[in-house]
Amino acid sequence: MKHSASKKCDRTAKKRSPLVWRRFVVLGLLISTCLLVILIRVPLSTAQEHKLEAKLAILTASQSHPLPFTLAQWQDPQNSGDYFFEVKMTEVGYLVWSQFPIKVYIQPYNQSDRLWIEPVIRAVQEWNYFLPLQVVDNFQTADIRIVPKVPPLQTTNFLRARSAQTRYQLYVNSSKPAAILSHYCTILLNPRQSSRYIQAAARHELGHALGIWGHSPEATDALYFSQVSDIVPISSRDINTLKRVYQQPTRLGWQVAANSQP
């Protein structure tokens, strides 16, 4: 079952009267300083839904995994708080990883690879301090796949262009001795941005892929729902929230009954 987190930036242009046109210019300047982020559900086919529901029905109850060492040792002496109440639980519980390091694949971009890959790698390194991450060369075995692609347009009252989007996919991993309910994430990231904004977008989307399936209401957090001109690093509140997510029960990473296999 696919879900996604995506960033949007409004762009409209129509011929108006001078007064109306000036209002649109002002509005455009305001909107250009932020990228609205929303979560969208992308449904599977009916057959896929029924197949997955049958497997989920015979899973053991949700359980918590041991905290990764990096999060277990994390302390916030300032008691900055968190925004855990904004994190959404999925149909299998919270989106946590139980096998480390988490493998990240960064797909090459045929134009200006260095300008694309280097800021994404920097974002991976930022999160690696709090959860073990490993950049790999194999798309198929990666847990998180970062793709240089402009996400599809979203149509509401007018077109909105997205700069980034994160989706997760559930599957049963039968390659292990016991079949495990697993997931992988795909991040679509617009490569036609400045290096600074590519890194900021990658930092934000990796936060979703690592388990923060929601947004902060505070502009000082990397997972703030809009991207503003004053880009911020990962905050203590981001990590406090991530730590609380990893303390929650989930069905991910736990065994699926043998008779549920295809």
Side-chain angles (χ1 to χ4, degrees), residues 1-260:
M1 184 170 296
K2 293 183 180 178
H3 294 241
S4 64
S6 61
K7 294 183 179 181
K8 299 178 175 182
C9 183
D10 298 340
R11 295 190 181 95
T12 59
K14 295 183 179 180
K15 292 185 178 181
R16 308 278 181 174
S17 67
L19 178 59
V20 175
W21 175 250
R22 283 197 297 272
R23 289 177 180 171
F24 270 87
V25 169
V26 173
L27 179 61
L29 289 174
L30 291 174
I31 292 174
S32 66
T33 62
C34 66
L35 294 171
L36 181 62
V37 187
I38 64 168
L39 302 178
I40 299 176
R41 180 178 185 274
V42 182
L44 299 173
S45 68
T46 302
Q48 290 173 315
E49 290 277 7
H50 290 167
K51 191 174 183 180
L52 181 58
E53 287 170 2
K55 291 178 179 179
L56 297 183
I58 53 178
L59 286 173
T60 56
S62 295
Q63 303 175 61
S64 299
H65 293 281
L67 268 179
F69 174 74
T70 46
L71 284 182
Q73 68 177 1
W74 163 256
Q75 299 294 328
D76 176 20
Q78 284 75 38
N79 293 318
S80 309
D82 59 61
Y83 49 91
F84 176 74
F85 60 91
E86 296 287 354
V87 179
K88 296 173 175 59
M89 187 169 62
T90 73
E91 71 275 32
V92 294
Y94 290 90
L95 291 180
V96 304
W97 301 94
S98 56
Q99 299 294 319
F100 301 96
I102 302 166
K103 297 179 177 62
V104 181
Y105 173 79
I106 305 172
Q107 183 173 308
Y109 182 49
N110 58 8
Q111 298 175 358
S112 305
D113 256 349
R114 182 177 175 182
L115 296 177
W116 151 252
I117 289 180
E118 287 186 356
V120 176
I121 288 179
R122 287 196 295 270
V124 171
Q125 291 170 340
E126 290 178 67
W127 283 108
N128 182 61
Y129 185 80
F130 306 105
L131 279 179
L133 303 177
Q134 178 186 5
V135 176
V136 297
D137 296 328
N138 191 325
F139 178 90
Q140 295 298 329
T141 61
D143 302 307
I144 300 174
R145 301 140 182 202
I146 305 178
V147 180
K149 181 179 179 180
V150 179
L153 290 173
Q154 170 73 13
T155 304
T156 52
N157 293 331
F158 43 82
L159 291 179
R160 295 170 180 260
R162 303 170 179 169
S163 69
Q165 180 185 81
T166 298
R167 297 181 175 186
Y168 70 83
Q169 172 74 55
L170 301 175
Y171 70 100
V172 176
N173 187 347
S174 303
S175 63
K176 299 182 181 299
I180 302 296
L181 180 65
S182 305
H183 72 301
Y184 66 83
C185 291
T186 302
I187 296 174
L188 302 183
L189 196 59
N190 182 359
R192 297 195 290 270
Q193 305 178 83
S194 69
S195 174
R196 180 169 174 260
Y197 279 99
I198 288 176
Q199 183 174 348
R203 178 190 299 128
H204 181 109
E205 299 304 324
L206 279 167
H208 288 315
L210 294 177
I212 305 177
W213 202 248
H215 297 101
S216 168
E218 301 292 336
T220 52
D221 301 327
L223 272 290
Y224 182 52
F225 70 87
S226 294
Q227 182 175 299
V228 295
S229 56
D230 294 329
I231 296 174
V232 298
I234 299 168
S235 71
S236 294
R237 282 167 44 84
D238 291 320
I239 305 308
N240 290 343
T241 302
L242 188 68
K243 185 172 182 176
R244 286 195 63 183
V245 168
Y246 275 75
Q247 292 171 329
Q248 307 307 312
T250 183
R251 289 179 171 182
L252 286 168
W254 297 109
Q255 184 176 352
V256 178
N259 62 359
S260 70

